[in-house]
C-alpha cells in the first residue's frame, strides 16, 4: 500500500519546486537568438537581478551550475599561487576550497564545524597575522546547504575594514538567494554567487556572479583568467552572444524571467518573511519531536539557521528510514544527509522558493505520520506546533 499518488513535493535543497507559471513559460518553440524576445528578456533580467542582489555593481551570467561559479569567481580575480582563506561551515565550503586548489591556488581553511556559524573573532585573529597581506580573498558560504548554517556577513566585512585588509570578500549565496536577506553593497561583499535552481525557482543550468569595481580591478592581473570564464565581456557585452559567450540558454531564460516576475510581484521583503515563517514552522515541529526521541535540529541557535533548508539529526539511522518512507508512501522527497557522518542519521528539508504554508504543514504532517508508522520514538504534536507558528504569524500585521 502506498499513498504517494497526487502532486509530489520535492523538498530537497535544490533543485527546488518549479512553479506552474515557470513551467508554462518554457513551453514554446525555440526563439531566434539574434533579435526579438530573447535578447529583450536577457537585457531586462540584468537590472532585475542586480536589484535582487542589492547591488549597483556588475553582473556576469553563465551557462553553469554552482560549481562553475566557484571557478568563475576565482578565475577572474586570482593568479596561480595566490592564497585564499576559506571559512567552512559544511560540505560546500570544502567544495569551494577543492575548486581553488584545483586551479593552483593556495587554499587555507578555517573550519567552524557543523553546528556553529563563522566566528568573526577567529577570522580577525588569522587576518591580523597576515601582515604582508598574502591572503587575496576570504571565501564564505552564506548558507551551507549541508548543515543549514547561516552566517552573518556584515561582521566579516567589519573585520576586514578594521584591519584595513585588502582581501576580497566573496560570498556563495547559492542556497540563500531569493530566500534569505542578501544586500551585497550594504554588506560590503565584493563578489556574490547565485544559481538558478534554488530560491530563483528555475531549472539548474544558469549561474550568476555579481562583482564590484574593486573585484574587477583584480581581473587586470588575474592569470587564472581564461577566455570562457572571463566576466568582462559578459558584464558589458557589445553583441548579444557575449552575454553567454555563445548560444543563450533559451528556455532557461523564459523560466527565469517568469520566476523573477513572481518574486517582484510578491515583493522581496515578503519573500524573505515567508521563508522565515515557514522555516520557524519546521523548527517548531522538530523541537516537539525531539522532546521524547533522539531527534534534533542540527543548529541549536535559531539565529544561525538558514530559512531555506533545515538539517535534522535522527539517531540510529532513523533519518534515512523516514526519508524513504516519506518518498515511497507519501509522495514527499526529503534531502539526504549530504556530507554528514553517519549519513543515515541526517536528513534535510528544503523549504526554498515556491513553497507555502500548506506544503510545509503537509510535509511536516507526513513526516510525523512516518515517525509513528516506523515506530521511531518522538514527541507528539509536531505538526500542530508548526500550525501554531503559522497561524500566529498570519495574525500579525502585514509587512509592506
Ligand atoms: C547547491 C549549492 C552549490 C552547488 O551548486 P551546483 O549547482 O550543485 O553546482 C554550491 N553552494 C551552495 C551553498 C549550494 O547550496
Amino acid at each position: 500500500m502506498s499513498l504517494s499518488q497526487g502532486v509530489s513535493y520535492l523538498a530537497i535543497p535544490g533543485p527546488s519546486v518549479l512553479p506552474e507559471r515557470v513551467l508554462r513559460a518554457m513551453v514554446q518553440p525555440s526563439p531566434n537568438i539574434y533579435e526579438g524576445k530573447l535578447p529583450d528578456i536577457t537585457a531586462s533580467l540584468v537590472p532585475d537581478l542586480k536589484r535582487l542582489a542589492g547591488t549597483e555593481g556588475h553582473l556576469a551570467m553563465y551557462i553553469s551550475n554552482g560549481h562553475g561559479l566557484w571557478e568563475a569567481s576565482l578565475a577572474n580575480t586570482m593568479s596561480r599561487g595566490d592564497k585564499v582563506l576559506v571559512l567552512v561551515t559544511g560540505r560546500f565550503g570544502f567544495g569551494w576550497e577543492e575548486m581553488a586548489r584545483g586551479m593552483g591556488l593556495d587554499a587555507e581553511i578555517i573550519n567552524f564545524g557543523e553546528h556553529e556559524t563563522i566566528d568573526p573573532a577567529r577570522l580577525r585573529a588569522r587576518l591580523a597575522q597576515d601582515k604582508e597581506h598574502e591572503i587575496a580573498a576570504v571565501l564564505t558560504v552564506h548558507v551551507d546547504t549541508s548543515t543549514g548554517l547561516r552566517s552573518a556577513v556584515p561582521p566579516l566585512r567589519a573585520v576586514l575594514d578594521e584591519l584595513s585588509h585588502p582581501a576580497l570578500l566573496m560570498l556563495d549565496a547559492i542556497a540563500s538567494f531569493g530566500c534569505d536577506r542578501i544586500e551585497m553593497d550594504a554588506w560590503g561583499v565584493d563578489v556574490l554567487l547565485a544559481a538558478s535552481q534554488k530560491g530563483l525557482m528555475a531549472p539548474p543550468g544558469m549561474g550568476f556572479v555579481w562583482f564590484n569595481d574593486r573585484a574587477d580591478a583584480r581581473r587586470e592581473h588575474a592569470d587564472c583568467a581564461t577566455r570562457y570564464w572571463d566576466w568582462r565581456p559578459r558584464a558589458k557585452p557589445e553583441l548579444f552572444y557575449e552575454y553567454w559567450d555563445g548560444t543563450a540558454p533559451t528556455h532557461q531564460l523564459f523560466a527565469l524571467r517568469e520566476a523573477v516576475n513572481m518574486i517582484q510581484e510578491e515583493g522581496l521583503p515578503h519573500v524573505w518573511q515567508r521563508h522565515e515563517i515557514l522555516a520557524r514552522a519546521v523548527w517548531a515541529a522538530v523541537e516537539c519531536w525531539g522532546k521524547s526521541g533522539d531527534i534534533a535540529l542540527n543548529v541549536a541557535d535559531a539565529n544561525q539557521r538558514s530559512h531555506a533548508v533545515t538539517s535534522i539529526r535522527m539517531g540510529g539511522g532513523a533519518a534515512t528510514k523516514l526519508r524513504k518512507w516519506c518518498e515511497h508512501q507519501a509522495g514527499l522527497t526529503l534531502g539526504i544527509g549530504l556530507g554528514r557522518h553517519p549519513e543515515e542519521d541526517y536528513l534535510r528539508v528544503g523549504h526554498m522558493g515556491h513553497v507555502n504554508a500548506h506544503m510545509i504543514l503537509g510535509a511536516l504532517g507526513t513526516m510525523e505520520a512516518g515517525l509513528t508508522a516506523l515506530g521511531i520514538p518522538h514527541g507528539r504534536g509536531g505538526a500542530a506546533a508548526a500550525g501554531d507558528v503559522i497561524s500566529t504569524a498570519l495574525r500579525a500585521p502585514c509587512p509592506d
Side-chain angles (χ1 to χ4, degrees), residues 70-71 73-74 78 82-113 116-120 122-124 126-127 130 134-144 151 156 160 165 167-172 193:
W70 286 336
E71 178 152 340
S73 60
L74 299 171
M78 297 292 143
D82 276 357
K83 190 179 193 63
V84 294
L85 182 63
V86 195
L87 308 182
V88 174
T89 55
R91 180 69 199 101
F92 288 84
F94 288 116
W96 208 353
E97 176 243 352
E98 286 156 12
M99 191 64 78
R101 273 186 212 288
M103 295 172 73
L105 304 181
D106 173 9
E108 179 181 323
I109 282 174
I110 306 181
N111 189 356
F112 296 89
E116 271 166 49
T117 50
I118 295 164
D119 174 5
R122 282 180 68 191
L123 174 65
R124 191 185 185 291
R126 179 62 189 90
L127 290 180
D130 183 32
E134 284 176 351
I135 295 169
V138 175
L139 314 186
T140 308
V141 178
H142 185 213
V143 163
D144 198 294
S151 293
L156 310 180
L160 286 160
H165 197 294
L168 295 177
L169 180 58
M170 299 202 194
L171 189 67
D172 169 347
L193 316 180

Side-chain angles (χ1 to χ4, degrees), residues 8 48 53 112 128 135 150 162 166 169 179 199 204 212 247 269 271 292 308 327 342-343 355 362 371 387:
S8 56
D48 290 353
F112 296 89
I135 295 169
R150 177 171 54 102
E162 182 202 331
L169 180 58
C179 307
N212 60 19
T247 305
V271 170
S292 47
E327 176 147 28
E343 193 177 291
V355 284
L371 290 171

